[in-house]
Amino acid sequence: MSCWLLLPFMLGIPLLWPYLTATGNSNTEEVKHPGGSHWRVKRDWVWNQFFVQEEMNRTNHAIGQLKYGIDNENSNYQYKLFGDSAGSTFVIDEKTGVLYAVQKLDREERDRYTLRAQVIDGTTGRALEPESEFSVRVTDVNDNEPKFLDGPYEAIVPEMSPEETSVIQVTASDADDPFTDYNAHLVYSLLQGQPYFSIEAKTGIIRISSKMDRELQDEYWVIVQAKDKIGLPGALSGTTSVLIKLSDVNDNKPMFKTSLYRMNVSESAPTGTSIGKIMAYDNDIGDNAEMEYIIEDDSQTFDIITNHETQEGIVILKKKVDFEQQNHHRIKAKVKNPRVDEQLLKYHAETSTTIIKVQVGDEDEPPVFHLPHYVFAVSEGSPRGSSVGTVSATDPDQRKSPIWYSIHITGSSVFCIDDNGTISTVSPLDREMSAWHNLSIKAVEKYNVEQISSVPVYVQVLDINDNAPEFSDNYKTYICENAGSGQIIQTISAVDRDKSIEDHYFSFNLSVEDAQNSSFILLDNRELVLASKKSLSCTYPS
């Protein structure tokens, strides 16, 4: 049987003086009898360790008895007590050797005292034995409650964690003796926190009992109790609190606040214009609440940019819109979390969508020419009022304002334009003076003269054969006398200011009069070659 089970029994019978024979203290010694005779007596200290229960309220509480020798009825023996606690905490009856505690003891302050004792002859005052050391052990009573030295506690656990997930371990301490009557054997239990949490009675580990949703409740206060004496009668208890916070997991998909948004945009708005915002909500927090907006249709005209600070979707114009072509647009947009763990994909199987209706506003726009530029041709020399060509512009707005045209050129005006956009000549044109004319035609709306647009018009003047050939120079020819017949004395060329697809070809002839009487002949080799018919003397101009 364990000695600890016998300890309460030993503490309950202090009058049965607890003593053990001290090893090494037994021998024999010759003692002189008072009558003068000598005999040998076996002396023996009878003690080893004494026990006293803490918190004893009685003064002069007897602990045990010191005995010396076999004949302990010798009235001449006197017991002396020495040590740092002798006289203040412990005293001894010099006649009987009974040891007393004169103060209430606290085991948690001091659980062992070491004392020394000596026996002297009361008649002679001579020490019969050297000082001998012994100890007094203070035994425990359950006078300290368990304490949570690290409390209050705080723990974080992910929401939706499975049952039996460990949250935190709490630990209490008990200053009592764990080997005495289970005084420091602790049992943990929950006073508050069920049914969401449980605690292991021996270890103090708090575990999850059921799944919890942070979006319903994000923190819980749990009260833990620790009892000593393994919960038996007379046990003391202490409590602590544990704040358990649920951290977020991405178990919620973003949802639009409304199924329909209406927005407006002017047809004159440039690309990149913000036309409105859409907003979804997500019950998660932090990175788990980040959103990404996507346009499922009409992505050529519109786009959505996510503002990561506000989690709003900004609808922008990606391409200019035209009221006259399409005065409203219907956009379908969706929202999702950009990052989702694989084990949480089941919560994001479907995405939330919304409809955006965009109304295009009409603007008073300037006239629009049918072509970005015009090229016309007219023959030179055409009479005044000849038609060159027609330009055309229309009002793109619904009211279709009539258009006035005007013509602008650099220098003298040789063209005019009528209300139908027909360009005519004011006077005959000469290609040799100007082969091209660059015009600027303006179109102005009749109902709003501030709406103006212009278009370039290029007029080519076509050539007619209205110019005679001309000699390239005013030739002066010299010839030496005695020049031989057939000698080439001059080459003559001609030009024509008219335009020809191919090179000009000229025919050269001497006048009839000169052909009959002249001393020269012409050789036509696409150039006029003047040669002599006979030998002549040199002739020089005077």
Side-chain angles (χ1 to χ4, degrees), residues 61 169 264 411 487 523 537:
H61 176 69
Q169 183 176 22
N264 297 285
Q487 180 178 346
L523 301 177
S537 298

Side-chain angles (χ1 to χ4, degrees), residues 95-108:
K95 295 294 184 180
T96 64
V98 176
L99 184 66
Y100 295 92
V102 296
Q103 288 185 355
K104 186 168 65 173
L105 304 179
D106 188 347
R107 188 198 68 86
E108 285 70 47

Side-chain angles (χ1 to χ4, degrees), residues 159-160 212-215 247-254 282-285 288 337 340 344-348:
E159 65 171 329
M160 309 305 290
M212 291 168 287
D213 190 345
R214 186 200 65 84
E215 287 72 43
S247 62
D248 187 56
V249 299
N250 196 359
D251 59 338
N252 291 278
K253 66 180 181 181
D282 193 321
N283 286 329
D284 296 319
I285 58 176
N288 294 331
N337 291 136
V340 180
L344 298 173
L345 288 176
K346 60 182 178 180
Y347 298 108
H348 301 263

Side-chain angles (χ1 to χ4, degrees), residues 328-361:
H328 71 277
H329 295 262
R330 183 181 184 274
I331 308 169
K332 185 178 181 181
K334 67 178 181 180
V335 62
K336 66 176 185 177
N337 291 136
R339 294 181 298 274
V340 180
D341 294 337
E342 290 187 4
Q343 60 268 28
L344 298 173
L345 288 176
K346 60 182 178 180
Y347 298 108
H348 301 263
E350 297 180 0
T351 56
S352 177
T353 61
T354 190
I355 300 299
I356 306 172
K357 289 187 176 181
V358 181
Q359 181 66 43
V360 180

